[in-house]
Amino acid sequence: MKLLLQDLEAEVLASHQLGQDVYLLRLHAPLIAEAAQPGQFVHVRCSETFDPLLRRPLSIHDAGNEGELTLLYQVKGRGTAWLARQQSGQKINILGPRGRGFTLPQNKRLALVAGGMGMVPLLFLARRALEAGNEVDFFYGARDREQLYQLETLKAMQVNLFLATDDGSAGFQGPVTKLWEKYIPERSYDRGYACGPRPALAAFACLAGRASLPAEVSLEERMACGLGACRGCVTALQDPSGNKYYENVCTGGPVFDAVAVYWED
Amino acid sequence: MEQAGKRPRVNLAVEITGLTLQNPVMPASGTFGFGEEYAPFIDLNRLGALVVKTITLHPTPGNPPPRLMEGHCGLLNSVGLQNPGLEIFLREKLPYLRRYTPPLIVSIAGRTTEEYAELAARLSEAEGIAALEVNISCPNVKEGGIVFGTVPAMAARVTAIVKEHTHLPVIVKLTPNVTDITTIARAVEDAGAGAIALINTLQGMAIDIERRRPALANIVGGLSGPAIKPVALYAVWRVARAVKVPVIGMGGIMTARDAIEFLLAGATAVAVGTATLVDPGAITKIIAGLENYLTEQGLADVRELIGALQI
């Protein structure tokens, strides 16, 4: 008899509000935490009814010892607002880990470039990358100092942390990709990773391309099944000849090679 | 062997255009991929039938993203029949699907009647296909699709051409985006449809007020989910009384209760779509719920429910 995956009920350990609309959710989900790879997501049921209807895909922020899974998310609509109301001891239905994560090398020098909430999967990547003997430069940009989350955690992780804000209230004033650009020549990276708003990812991909640096980006798209069946969450990619085609973000990604993404859209 | 002999097992089997289904619950085309996506979550052999995503003659890239928008109790989609085309389906998807015992229903769509004919002929030569579902109701493609499903004479012509090119039972899937769905239903019945499936999605749109742009790249999409259930139920009730062939009802079926409503309204079988996107185990839960309902009601056979609505 084949073992079939069942609904996974994860228990809320704690929910912390980190900013105006930003929450850190700690769950007890041993099977998912054990299997999780950086860049993957979990598909979270954010309702006890059918309104809101669909699950919400949330990047895995951290997966640690004793079966703990950490999600960091911004409240954007009714689904995430429901999630923010859940308290310790409650059970949440989640599917995962899903999707294709980041490539994890060993003993290399890596650049991680995070724009805003794009920091979420990159913190998990940084932790695993350090464990694999890599040197990690972590570039983190946000609108202002208040929107730079998890700084203490990052500082405690032995990454080389570089900050950027739009208003200059912390670190470099300007886009995080501009800050990263300054370090590309001198740091001779082996690989780059980025997550953030699409224009920032396009700028990152362009810089990585110019430096001939292998690079991966994590993309976001509205999602329904999260299993590859409905073809709802596609993104445009290009084959080596430059021909455009659509690939599921849920199963083909959410992490893609930067050169494979069709950025013009 | 759970409780064998303790309570009589109810009969869930139904017959549709020569196909025997072990139970009347199947996935709705377009929401179940090619089955393999759901195999890690449910035992596909428990389904009444397997219904795959609509196949076109040539690979179809589908519409640009964003393709999805969630509304209250509903999902708008504009996938646009993205599929790998007939050849890849036959070569890469069908061998996998043949491993399973429920009848395999392959949904087809063409841009022209000739394409429907060729799809029907080629799929009929392949082994392991139990029936064809003729999709003349996709709202998200510019050519073919819904165009064939809104004019009775066109719907009849597509049905007749498919019938000419296949020995397989033909199920025709109708759109609710018409003035009178019973007219289309009678037309396809007269043209040889062995069963009628309804409803496909309702056309709709959503607007992003911050950007003052449509929420879907394709501007319009098809609405599914609980929001459309009353519309679907009404269409099934009307069509079931207007035709003699069996009706497969669908549209917003999320629970066993919903499925039972469709059976009472006259559907011989039901298809589950959006619910599966929310919960991969939705179909098997609905089958179990249906069985429980029959037991609780003291009914031995699911067929006692079909069309049993009292007015």
Side-chain angles (χ1 to χ4, degrees), chain A residues 177-185 188-189 192 199-215 258-259 263:
Chain A
T177 45
K178 277 275 179 216
L179 174 62
W180 180 52
E181 189 176 4
K182 293 172 189 282
Y183 289 86
I184 297 172
S188 56
Y189 297 109
L201 297 184
F204 164 86
C206 180
L207 292 170
R210 251 187 256 158
S212 302
L213 180 66
V259 290
W263 292 107

Side-chain angles (χ1 to χ4, degrees), chain B residues 79-303:
Chain B
V79 171
L81 297 185
Q82 180 182 338
N83 79 94
L86 177 67
E87 294 300 333
I88 289 179
F89 171 75
L90 290 171
R91 202 166 62 232
E92 295 178 14
K93 305 295 182 187
L94 187 55
Y96 170 83
L97 289 160
R98 275 199 208 106
R99 292 190 223 163
Y100 295 95
T101 50
L104 174 63
I105 300 172
V106 177
S107 175
I108 58 170
R111 289 171 297 184
T112 60
T113 49
E114 289 76 19
E115 286 190 0
Y116 279 101
E118 188 171 349
L119 281 160
R122 295 284 308 282
L123 288 164
S124 304
E125 291 164 8
E127 265 178 57
I129 298 173
L132 299 178
E133 180 185 273
V134 183
N135 180 357
I136 52 168
S137 46
C138 177
N140 296 323
V141 291
K142 288 191 177 65
E143 294 168 300
I146 199 167
V147 176
F148 291 110
T150 51
V151 180
M154 288 291 292
R157 195 161 150 240
V158 175
T159 306
I161 283 170
V162 170
K163 282 291 290 179
E164 277 170 33
H165 289 82
T166 186
H167 60 277
L168 296 171
V170 172
I171 302 161
V172 180
K173 185 166 174 179
L174 303 185
T175 173
N177 302 304
V178 293
T179 313
D180 181 2
I181 196 167
T182 60
T183 311
I184 310 278
R186 280 197 211 94
V188 301
E189 180 186 39
D190 290 346
I196 292 171
L198 68 158
I199 57 172
N200 205 320
T201 53
L202 284 159
Q203 279 175 303
M205 71 183 293
I207 293 171
D208 177 342
I209 63 165
E210 309 300 332
R211 295 163 57 241
R212 300 188 184 186
R213 293 177 68 85
L216 299 175
N218 193 48
I219 305 174
V220 298
L223 183 66
S224 66
I228 73 166
K229 198 194 90 180
V231 178
L233 197 60
Y234 178 51
V236 165
W237 179 65
R238 289 185 67 207
V239 170
R241 297 192 307 168
V243 298
K244 292 185 181 65
V245 295
V247 167
I248 304 171
M250 65 196 76
I253 296 176
M254 307 301 282
T255 63
R257 293 187 70 91
D258 295 332
I260 292 159
E261 285 190 57
F262 277 80
L263 296 173
L264 291 171
T268 301
V270 294
V272 178
T274 304
T276 302
L277 307 181
V278 179
D279 174 5
I283 302 178
T284 47
K285 287 174 189 166
I286 288 170
I287 295 167
L290 180 58
E291 190 168 8
N292 283 341
Y293 173 82
L294 289 165
T295 307
E296 282 163 19
Q297 295 280 318
L299 299 173
D301 195 315
V302 72
R303 288 173 296 183

Side-chain angles (χ1 to χ4, degrees), chain A residues 59 137 197 264:
Chain A
S59 286
D137 283 7
E264 280 78 3

Side-chain angles (χ1 to χ4, degrees), chain A residues 5 7 53 55-56 222 231, chain B residues 40 67-68 70 278 285:
Chain A
L5 294 177
D7 292 350
L53 181 62
R55 289 170 182 270
R56 301 303 191 250
R222 291 182 204 138
R231 316 295 193 260
Chain B
R67 292 177 172 181
L68 301 174
E70 184 178 328
V278 179
K285 287 174 189 166

